[in-house]
Amino acid sequence: MKQVLPALGLAIMFPFVAQAQESDSYSETKLGLYANATEAHAMMEADPRAILIDVRDPSELMFTGAAEGLDIHVPWMVLDRSAFNAEKGVWPMKRNEGFEASVKARLDALGVTPEDTIIVMCRSGSSRSAPAADVINAMGYTKVWSVTDGFEGGTLKEGASKGVRAVDGWRNSGLPWSYKVDPGIAWTQE
């Protein structure tokens, strides 16, 4: 059963190719903990121990920005720059084989406990944050949330900008973000 934080409850208590292309892509988590970007931000404001993890490819952060308050950046999927798909005109995505080790090392460095709140965000909440959240949960963390609308949110359904990601999400909800990524947080292939 999904647990979605109601906005009122929170008020009281606290371009691009990044679509995953593997069979382990899904949007629901085993824990069933979900929050939209606004709710996730409120959780972070209310709980100074809450951790925000961005699981997008580094190029996405560079071109579309990142949330201010980001604690960890480790991509769930990365562009496979060695396998350009000429027919589709894109690079395919592949699973970041070092995801678990990188996330664990960064969580340990921050002193995160298994009971601390961890919030996982991808581009749109549709295919990367949920499997990443499940892996983090399997590592022993019990409060792992998936951001349902991600950093960029959903696409406009009509008008001159139809298809542009401009509906909800961290960036489109008036939440703090920047194009500049903290060098201490930025993931580098390890």
Side-chain angles (χ1 to χ4, degrees), residues 85-152:
N85 183 329
E87 183 179 319
K88 292 183 179 180
V90 299
W91 291 267
M93 300 294 286
K94 67 178 181 179
R95 173 84 153 72
N96 176 5
E97 295 176 11
F99 180 81
E100 292 90 334
S102 292
V103 168
K104 180 69 172 142
R106 291 173 185 226
L107 289 171
D108 287 350
L110 292 172
V112 177
T113 70
E115 298 78 28
D116 285 335
T117 297
I118 298 172
I119 303 163
V120 182
M121 180 168 59
C122 62
R123 179 190 64 185
S124 62
S126 67
S127 63
R128 291 177 282 173
S129 61
D134 280 346
V135 165
I136 295 166
N137 172 235
M139 292 166 38
Y141 298 92
T142 60
K143 295 179 186 173
V144 187
W145 295 75
S146 178
V147 178
T148 57
D149 53 354
F151 182 76
E152 290 187 69

Side-chain angles (χ1 to χ4, degrees), residues 30-49:
K30 290 180 174 88
L31 287 174
L33 300 176
Y34 307 95
N36 65 33
T38 302
E39 293 166 338
H41 182 261
M43 290 169 67
M44 292 168 57
E45 292 285 308
D47 180 0
R49 291 197 54 84

Side-chain angles (χ1 to χ4, degrees), residues 72-94:
I72 297 172
H73 170 238
V74 176
W76 173 251
M77 307 279 288
V78 291
L79 285 174
D80 183 353
R81 290 157 178 86
S82 69
F84 183 74
N85 183 329
E87 183 179 319
K88 292 183 179 180
V90 299
W91 291 267
M93 300 294 286
K94 67 178 181 179

Side-chain angles (χ1 to χ4, degrees), residues 57-80:
D57 184 81
S59 57
E60 291 175 271
L61 276 68
M62 183 172 72
F63 291 115
T64 63
E68 289 185 8
L70 179 62
D71 297 292
I72 297 172
H73 170 238
V74 176
W76 173 251
M77 307 279 288
V78 291
L79 285 174
D80 183 353

